[in-house]
Amino acid sequence: MMRTIDVNEAIDNNPFGGFQWLVVGLCASLLIVDGYDVFVAGTVLPTLIAEWGLSKPQAGALQAWALFGMMFGALVFGPLADKIGRKKGIAISFMLFTVSTLLTGFANSPDQFKIFRFVAGLGCGGLMPNAVALMNEYAPKRLRGTMVALMFSGYSVGGMVAAGLGIGLIPQYGWKPMFFVAALPLALLPVVLWKLPESLGFLIRQGQQEKAKRIYGKIDPSACLGDDDRLVFAGAKGASASVAELFRHQRTLRTLMLWVAFFCCLLLVYLLSSWLPKVLQEAGYAEKASLLSLFSLNFGGMVGAIAGGWLGDRFGLPKVVVGFFMAAAASIALIGFNLPAGLLFLIVFIAGATTIGTQILLYASVAQLYNLSVRSTGLGWASGVGRIGAIVGPTLGGMLLAMDFPLQQNFLIFSIPAAASALAMLVFAVSNARRVGTVQLAAA
């Protein structure tokens, strides 16, 4: 007898098994490399300023090239993966940024540096939305926030590795070896091609039932699927992956508020990761202490992502995100108060938890707002809008710091985007609660 099996329902009702842990592990490994690539720029910035005689606005613009690449990468590879599959999208993105990061080590001028960083950015921007979408698909609803956050904490681990290597390598060997290290993760590419599964929703949409059944058998080994059984994926058919679709079904306000939050949040993440070591060196902290602050920022990001994902699964993501952004505004403002080193690291840790960590929760919020057929497009566009903020962050930081405001005033200005994000997500949370209430009433 022919059975129709809803894959979504099966993933939600089955235990979280070894196969899904493999997806978490592989995606987290990819994001460690992605995070390293993003944060390595902040570790080498003080050295580049000295070596190439750059002004602060020039240095800020130099950082922005990778972020331009990320913006285009997010906008191109999100929708492209809806057409060619997540696995191919992830593999192409990974290849692009590892090779380009390696080549950055051979740059001998700011212009060469910009080109390699732009191409690396294309890959980084493409990887993130696709890894989030894939993880979101293989995680049961009850664990989705936690698993996406756990996977995404790899991004912060990459930042911690960049800061740790910077402390050991830069004073002795200069900045170039920091990019040569990127040759090592290329060994991960064959493993990704061999072991990372394709999106089940994509395979079902393409009519590739046999491939989908093989993957499904790993999620539910007791299923014993017959030739006549058919897998379906709720949301795999229906709306086309167009931008207009993001604003349908009364999602306009929520889509716009998420975009505002993404813009401000990524502005903060890249402002802090690009300029924190340099600003703290100028404020009188030693080089080692300034790089340790970058380590604290990313360690906070990792803890914030995992704690936020866990809290989000229990209390609802929108509430947790609002609380985190309020804490971000307070902690960033406090960094400028010339604190003792120990207290400074603690405040920077909180700032990392509530900016880098919250960025990850925003991705999970987007993934939960849209159904599967437009999820990659939704993630790609939110990420792309966020990347505009990411470009503005280092550039704005360079211009502000060139004005020589007191340290305290700089960080008070830096905290404004966090307050704006808190407000945007409050509007999102209220609108979301109303929409959920309306749907429940209609169903009753």
Side-chain angles (χ1 to χ4, degrees), residues 268-346:
L268 281 172
V269 169
Y270 291 94
L271 172 69
L272 292 172
S273 63
S274 296
W275 285 107
L276 197 60
K278 178 66 181 164
V279 172
L280 293 179
Q281 276 182 37
E282 287 192 356
Y285 294 94
E287 182 181 23
K288 199 171 180 179
S290 68
L291 285 171
L292 269 173
S293 72
L294 204 56
F295 186 89
S296 292
L297 189 77
N298 283 287
F299 185 47
M302 183 180 74
V303 174
I306 295 168
W310 184 83
L311 289 166
D313 280 339
R314 273 145 196 81
F315 305 107
L317 269 174
K319 289 179 197 163
V320 177
V321 173
V322 172
F324 271 34
F325 275 134
M326 288 165 76
S331 56
I332 292 166
L334 286 170
I335 295 172
F337 280 80
N338 270 327
L339 306 166
L343 189 56
L344 173 77
F345 294 146
L346 175 65

Side-chain angles (χ1 to χ4, degrees), residues 27 75 232 297 379 435:
C27 287
L75 294 175
V232 294
L297 189 77
L379 283 161
R435 177 74 185 136

Side-chain angles (χ1 to χ4, degrees), residues 14-88:
N14 275 304
F16 193 82
F19 173 72
Q20 283 137 303
W21 278 114
L22 175 73
V23 178
V24 177
L26 279 173
C27 287
S29 304
L30 291 168
L31 284 176
I32 289 172
V33 187
D34 192 359
Y36 180 87
D37 181 271
V38 167
F39 288 100
V40 69
T43 63
V44 303
L45 190 66
T47 316
L48 289 180
I49 288 172
E51 195 172 305
W52 287 338
L54 304 170
S55 69
K56 282 172 186 163
Q58 282 172 331
L62 195 67
Q63 298 289 61
W65 277 86
L67 305 168
F68 268 117
M70 282 186 197
M71 179 179 73
F72 289 115
L75 294 175
V76 170
F77 285 106
L80 182 68
D82 282 331
K83 293 179 175 65
I84 65 167
R86 306 257 185 278
K87 184 173 177 172
K88 281 182 193 159

Side-chain angles (χ1 to χ4, degrees), residues 22-383:
L22 175 73
V23 178
V24 177
L26 279 173
C27 287
S29 304
L30 291 168
L31 284 176
I32 289 172
V33 187
D34 192 359
Y36 180 87
D37 181 271
V38 167
F39 288 100
V40 69
T43 63
V44 303
L45 190 66
T47 316
L48 289 180
I49 288 172
E51 195 172 305
W52 287 338
L54 304 170
S55 69
K56 282 172 186 163
Q58 282 172 331
L62 195 67
Q63 298 289 61
W65 277 86
L67 305 168
F68 268 117
M70 282 186 197
M71 179 179 73
F72 289 115
L75 294 175
V76 170
F77 285 106
L80 182 68
D82 282 331
K83 293 179 175 65
I84 65 167
R86 306 257 185 278
K87 184 173 177 172
K88 281 182 193 159
I90 286 170
I92 294 166
S93 302
F94 183 68
M95 184 81 181
L96 257 182
F97 76 73
T98 40
V99 171
S100 307
T101 302
L102 170 64
L103 292 173
T104 308
F106 295 98
N108 291 314
S109 70
D111 286 339
Q112 289 174 0
F113 188 89
K114 282 175 195 172
I115 292 163
F116 291 134
R117 292 299 290 152
F118 176 80
V119 180
L122 282 174
C124 283
L127 180 86
M128 213 178 282
N130 283 311
V132 175
L134 193 68
M135 189 66 253
N136 208 70
E137 190 176 319
Y138 280 107
K141 201 167 185 179
R142 65 185 183 280
L143 291 172
R144 206 163 278 161
T146 307
M147 287 304 153
V148 169
L150 191 62
M151 173 209 79
F152 224 129
S153 64
Y155 181 72
S156 300
V157 173
M160 287 154 67
V161 171
L165 278 177
I167 291 165
L169 290 178
I170 294 171
Q172 213 165 345
Y173 303 105
W175 62 272
K176 292 194 171 198
M178 293 293 290
F179 292 96
F180 295 148
V181 169
L184 301 175
L186 277 171
L188 195 59
L189 190 62
V191 184
V192 169
L193 294 171
W194 178 40
K195 286 288 187 185
L196 191 72
E198 182 50 272
S199 151
L200 270 175
F202 175 77
L203 291 174
I204 291 165
R205 211 163 60 221
Q206 298 291 311
Q208 298 182 39
Q209 281 285 325
E210 287 312 307
K211 279 187 183 175
K213 282 177 187 174
R214 280 201 296 275
I215 294 173
Y216 182 79
K218 294 175 184 175
I219 295 167
D220 183 7
S222 64
C224 300
L225 297 175
D227 290 341
D228 293 332
D229 294 333
R230 290 201 61 72
L231 298 177
V232 294
F233 203 112
K237 284 205 165 31
S240 62
S242 68
V243 188
E245 191 58 35
L246 305 179
F247 295 92
R248 293 198 181 111
H249 311 295
Q250 298 180 326
R251 287 192 295 235
T252 301
L253 182 64
R254 286 175 293 166
T255 294
L256 290 174
M257 289 302 103
L258 275 175
W259 286 7
V260 169
F262 255 90
F263 177 89
C264 293
C265 185
L266 268 77
L267 184 153
L268 281 172
V269 169
Y270 291 94
L271 172 69
L272 292 172
S273 63
S274 296
W275 285 107
L276 197 60
K278 178 66 181 164
V279 172
L280 293 179
Q281 276 182 37
E282 287 192 356
Y285 294 94
E287 182 181 23
K288 199 171 180 179
S290 68
L291 285 171
L292 269 173
S293 72
L294 204 56
F295 186 89
S296 292
L297 189 77
N298 283 287
F299 185 47
M302 183 180 74
V303 174
I306 295 168
W310 184 83
L311 289 166
D313 280 339
R314 273 145 196 81
F315 305 107
L317 269 174
K319 289 179 197 163
V320 177
V321 173
V322 172
F324 271 34
F325 275 134
M326 288 165 76
S331 56
I332 292 166
L334 286 170
I335 295 172
F337 280 80
N338 270 327
L339 306 166
L343 189 56
L344 173 77
F345 294 146
L346 175 65
I347 295 294
V348 169
F349 171 87
I350 294 167
T354 51
T355 53
I356 299 170
T358 314
Q359 175 199 349
I360 295 159
L361 301 183
L362 284 177
Y363 274 103
S365 302
V366 174
Q368 287 181 19
L369 178 62
Y370 304 112
N371 54 357
L372 183 100
S373 59
V374 290
R375 191 169 291 150
S376 262
T377 304
L379 283 161
W381 273 85
S383 196

